[in-house]
Amino acid sequence: MPGLQLSISVVLIVSAGLLYSLKRYKEACRVKIVAASKSEISGELGEHTNVGSLLNKHCPSLTDPELAYMVPTPYLCSGMVQTVYCTFAALKRDQYSKVDYERESRTMSDGGTISLDWYPHRSTDIAGRQPIFIIIPGLGGSSYEYHIRCVVKTLVVAGPTSSCRVVVMNHRGSARTPLTSAKFYNAYDTADYRDTVQYIKESFPNAPLLGVGFSLGANLLTKYLGEEADRSPLAAAAAICCPFDTEIAGKALDKRGFLNDYLFQPNLMATLKRSVKRNIDVIKTGYSDDHIKMIMGAKRMSEIDNLVTAKVYGHEDCWDYYRAASSTPYVDHIRTPYLAINAQDDPITPEEGIPFEKFEKNPYLALALVKHGGHLGLFTGLSPKVWYVQPVAEFFNAVLCTKE
C-alpha cells in the first residue's frame, strides 16, 4: 500500500515541521531579563546581591526555563492587535477583574482634587502592618480599566498576606473625579503622587508601601523614585509599559496611521474633551477662551500639548515638554527595588526608548522584556488573560519576604 505509506509519511513530516515551528515560536517568546550582574544592594534583599538575583530565585514566571514565556493569545499575535484589544476590553468584567472600590476624595494644596479608589476597603486600623499597593494609571486611564482591575484583584488574592490592600490614585478629572482647579494632568509633575504616598504613609505608618505604574503613570512613578532616591518610602515598585523617553513615545503616538488616526488619538481626545465639558466652569478660571477652543478643536494630543500644555508650563513646544517629562535621567538615582515590564512590539512606547544600559548598571533595577504584547496588553491564553499579573505578584512577594 505505497499510497497509504506516502500519505502517512507526508502527515508525519508536516506534523514534525509544525511542532518544530511551534517550538521555535515559543522559544522566541521567552522572557528576557536585563539587570546588573555584579553590583550589590546593601543588605536590603537578604542574601540577594541585586534585583536580578532576586528574580532568579523567587520569580519563576520571569526566570524559570520551563515557565518564563509570554506566548500571546493566538488571535492577538501582534503588538498592534494586542493594544487594540486592550482598548476595547477596558470595561470587561470577569472573575479576574471583579472589584468593588471604596472611594476617598483628596484635596491637593492648590485646591485640585484626586480620588483614591481602595480595594477591598480603606482600613481604619492605623497600626496595621498589611502591605498597601499604590497604583497610578496612565494618561486618560483610571481604576476602572480592565488591566488595572486584574492587577488589583491579583495583588489582593495572591499578595504576601491575606490582608493586602490596594489603592488606585485617579488623576484630576479622570474616573469622574471632579476638577476643582484648572490644573490638568501633567506628564512630569510628580506632586500629586508624592502627596498621596506621604498621606498614606502618615495614615498607616507601619504598613509597607509598594508602587505600581502603567504607561505614563509608570513614567511618573519612575521619575518619582529617581527624585526621592534613597528617601523613597516605597519598599518596591513595578512599572508596566513605561515609555522612559517620552519624546520617542510622543513621536510614536503622533505618527500617522490608521490605528493612531482612528482609534488611539480619538479615544484620548474623547476622554479629555468629556472632562473639559464636565468641568468647563473651573477650566475657564485657568485657561483663556482661545485655549479652550484649541482643546475642543484638536484632533491629536500633540496639538493640545503644543498649543496649550507646553505654553502653560513654560516650554517652547510639545517636544520640549516631552523631553522634560522623560524619566530616563532619573533611572540612575533609583534606590528602590524596581521591576519594569515592556514589550518589544509596543507601538506607543517603542523599545528604542528603553535605557538598557542603565538597567545593566543599577543593581536596584530589572527589566523583563517580552517579544509580543503591545501597549498594556500582554494577553496570553486562548481566552485572553493579562500575563503580567503573576510576575508582578511574585516580585512583590519576594521583596517583602526578604525584608521580614
Side-chain angles (χ1 to χ4, degrees):
M1 301 173 60
L4 178 59
Q5 291 177 342
L6 178 61
S7 298
I8 293 174
S9 298
V10 170
V11 170
L12 290 175
I13 292 171
V14 171
S15 298
L18 180 60
L19 288 173
Y20 178 71
S21 297
L22 289 174
K23 184 178 180 180
R24 288 191 64 184
Y25 180 71
K26 181 183 178 183
E27 191 59 33
C29 294
R30 183 186 292 275
V31 180
K32 178 183 178 182
I33 299 296
V34 181
S37 57
K38 295 181 180 180
S39 301
E40 296 187 2
I41 299 175
S42 306
E44 293 186 32
L45 295 179
E47 77 278 18
H48 302 288
T49 59
N50 52 44
V51 172
S53 171
L54 182 82
L55 298 184
N56 283 330
K57 187 165 184 179
H58 295 290
C59 300
S61 63
L62 293 177
T63 59
D64 189 302
E66 300 298 321
L67 302 174
Y69 297 92
M70 207 312 283
V71 181
T73 297
Y75 49 90
L76 303 175
C77 54
S78 75
M80 194 65 75
V81 176
Q82 285 259 347
T83 306
V84 170
Y85 183 84
C86 182
T87 301
F88 283 113
L91 300 180
K92 177 181 176 181
R93 295 186 73 85
D94 56 23
Q95 66 193 71
Y96 308 106
S97 66
K98 191 177 185 307
V99 298
D100 295 306
Y101 294 112
E102 178 183 313
R103 175 158 290 196
E104 176 186 11
S105 291
R106 287 274 298 152
T107 302
M108 301 291 100
S109 59
D110 66 346
T113 301
I114 63 167
S115 61
L116 303 178
D117 282 344
W118 292 85
Y119 181 77
H121 55 78
R122 187 193 189 284
S123 174
T124 57
D125 181 12
I126 62 173
R129 298 179 180 276
Q130 301 90 347
I132 299 175
F133 297 90
I134 307 171
I135 293 180
I136 179 169
L139 175 63
S142 76
S143 59
Y144 294 104
E145 290 182 289
Y146 178 70
H147 59 275
I148 289 184
R149 285 183 281 115
C150 286
V151 170
V152 169
K153 186 73 174 284
T154 300
L155 289 175
V156 171
V157 173
T161 73
S162 60
S163 51
C164 291
R165 281 168 289 152
V166 181
V167 57
V168 184
M169 189 198 89
N170 292 305
H171 303 288
R172 302 170 182 229
S174 67
R176 296 286 176 175
T177 304
L179 201 64
T180 55
S181 82
K183 181 181 176 182
F184 266 119
Y185 179 99
N186 181 302
Y188 65 79
D189 189 349
T190 56
D192 285 353
Y193 188 72
R194 177 175 287 100
D195 181 90
T196 297
V197 172
Q198 186 62 31
Y199 163 69
I200 295 173
K201 184 63 179 175
E202 291 173 357
S203 301
F204 304 97
N206 299 316
L209 305 184
L210 307 109
V212 185
F214 295 86
S215 190
L216 270 178
N219 188 70
L220 282 175
L221 172 62
T222 303
K223 186 171 182 286
Y224 164 80
L225 292 171
E227 290 172 346
E228 293 297 304
D230 54 10
R231 301 183 305 275
S232 171
L234 298 182
I240 313 299
C241 298
C242 181
F244 295 105
D245 188 321
T246 45
E247 183 181 11
I248 289 177
K251 289 179 179 178
L253 187 59
D254 199 50
K255 190 181 298 181
R256 293 288 174 179
F258 180 82
L259 290 175
N260 263 354
D261 292 345
Y262 295 100
L263 179 64
F264 302 144
Q265 291 287 348
N267 276 344
L268 277 175
M269 300 310 298
T271 299
L272 177 63
K273 290 176 183 180
R274 281 196 300 269
S275 182
V276 170
K277 288 179 180 178
R278 283 198 303 266
N279 302 281
I280 190 65
D281 291 337
V282 174
I283 290 172
K284 283 182 176 180
T285 65
Y287 292 85
S288 68
D289 289 341
D290 287 341
H291 281 153
I292 295 172
K293 287 179 181 177
M294 289 176 187
I295 293 172
M296 298 307 293
K299 294 184 178 180
R300 306 177 78 80
M301 200 67 208
S302 60
E303 292 180 44
I304 294 177
D305 287 337
N306 195 49
L307 298 172
V308 181
T309 313
K311 301 300 185 287
V312 168
Y313 291 103
H315 297 283
E316 182 179 348
D317 55 24
C318 67
W319 307 112
D320 184 42
Y321 166 59
Y322 296 154
R323 283 190 290 272
S326 293
S327 60
T328 295
Y330 299 87
V331 171
D332 290 327
H333 307 296
I334 293 176
R335 295 296 179 268
T336 299
Y338 171 98
L339 172 66
I341 297 178
N342 284 71
Q344 290 178 285
D345 61 358
D346 189 327
I348 295 176
T349 59
E351 182 182 6
E352 55 264 36
I354 301 173
F356 289 99
E357 71 286 351
K358 296 180 183 291
F359 281 91
E360 293 170 347
K361 294 178 181 178
N362 187 337
Y364 288 86
L365 314 177
L367 167 69
L369 191 66
V370 302
K371 187 173 182 64
H372 303 291
H375 190 67
L376 299 178
L378 287 83
F379 291 102
T380 189
L382 291 177
S383 178
K385 298 173 186 171
V386 179
W387 170 81
Y388 52 76
V389 295
Q390 184 64 28
V392 166
E394 289 176 358
F395 169 67
F396 284 128
N397 287 349
V399 172
L400 290 176
C401 287
T402 58
K403 288 180 177 290
E404 291 180 351

